[in-house]
Amino acid sequence: MMDRWSWLFPWLAVALAAAVFMLFGLVWWRALLVACLLVCVALLLWGLFLTLLKSDEPLVHSHGMTMDWAAPFYDVYCRAVGLGQGFRDQTLRVAAIRAGETILDVGCGTGVLTRRAGEAAGPAGAAIGIDPGQGMIRVAKKNAQRLGSRAAFKVAAIEQLPFDDARFDVVLASLMLHHLPPDLKRQGLREVYRVLKPGGRFIVADFYRPANPLWWLVAWPFLYMPMTADNFRGTLPDYFREAGFDPEQSKGRRAGILAFWSAIKP
Ligand SMILES: C[S@@+](CC[C@H](N)C(=O)[O-])C[C@H]1O[C@@H](n2cnc3c(N)ncnc32)[C@H](O)[C@@H]1O
């Protein structure tokens, strides 16, 4: 259920809990022991809960950092950290979707953007979201059904897209490229290029070189993680060029830490 990078989060939780217990007077080794026990119990309970979210579609293995474990609270988390409506609106303005277009949302998570893209394309268009996280796709399908959306969802990974060549007018990648190590980014972008029609648009919204020193205080550790390093070094657009896209057009920034691009398949 959890990929190797996601294991960072329980360790962070252990460190945080141990620090709190030490503030309350426990010696360090007792604090660490109690924190480990608590996090183990929490992981066990959460794991049991997540098995209920498994989709009936076959499991897809990926070396990307999937976020299945976060599926039940992902939307609430996004809104809480400022990645709600305003961020989605800005992404859709960059995408400039026209009625009748066919859209693929790679790493769609719970499908918020996929649904909105589907609405923008109207009844003559179509939107499909893919994600290797079975829990994410289960939540995305449920939400789409509840909200009467025509968007479709499928368990799949960017590095092996189950679609014919030149099928889509637009491919969206929102907050997902920083979940892929460099080799997978290259492989995934070659696949995006393949499934786009000539003249099709690859729309990316992701973390990028922080625009101010305050953000660097928080963001510098990401320079040392293979998945996030290129985002924070500012070399993400090199991947678009390498995959064959026309020199990408930068489409603005958000909150000093996010950036948007529109790259065209010639
Ligand atoms: C931070 S979430 C972004 C979700 C959504 N696009 C959004 O804007 O809220 C990153 C997503 O990328 C997905 N992901 C990880 N590895 C992937 C891969 N190889 N192919 C496609 N998606 C992947 C994760 O499962 C997760 O749902």
Side-chain angles (χ1 to χ4, degrees), residues 38-61:
L38 278 181
V39 170
C40 282
V41 172
L43 275 178
L44 201 69
L45 292 176
W46 194 243
L48 285 176
F49 172 62
L50 286 180
T51 51
L52 300 175
L53 280 179
K54 280 199 171 176
S55 142
D56 43 7
E57 290 188 51
L59 190 68
V60 168
H61 288 285

Side-chain angles (χ1 to χ4, degrees), residues 94 169-171 189 192-193 196-197 199-204 237 239-241 243-251 260-266:
V94 173
D169 298 294
V170 181
V171 175
L189 292 197
V192 167
Y193 190 88
L196 266 175
K197 295 176 183 170
R201 317 189 291 290
F202 179 39
I203 308 297
V204 179
Y239 286 88
F240 310 153
R241 265 167 254 145
F245 289 98
D246 269 350
E248 79 296 335
Q249 288 177 25
S250 169
K251 292 285 183 177
F260 300 84
W261 295 271
S262 172
I264 311 284
K265 175 172 172 175

Side-chain angles (χ1 to χ4, degrees), residues 63-67 175-181 184-185 227:
H63 294 299
M65 178 175 154
T66 49
M67 287 191 61
L175 302 176
M176 72 82 56
L177 289 177
H178 72 275
H179 281 241
L180 310 177
L184 217 57
K185 277 194 181 71
M227 288 176 301

Side-chain angles (χ1 to χ4, degrees), residues 60-112:
V60 168
H61 288 285
S62 171
H63 294 299
M65 178 175 154
T66 49
M67 287 191 61
D68 239 13
W69 54 272
F73 58 83
Y74 181 72
D75 289 346
V76 178
Y77 160 79
C78 278
R79 284 195 294 272
V81 297
L83 297 170
Q85 185 100 353
F87 168 60
R88 305 302 179 189
D89 289 345
Q90 191 169 351
T91 311
L92 287 168
R93 276 200 298 278
V94 173
I97 292 165
R98 295 182 284 269
E101 287 191 317
T102 310
I103 299 129
L104 172 67
D105 184 7
V106 287
C108 63
T110 54
V112 178

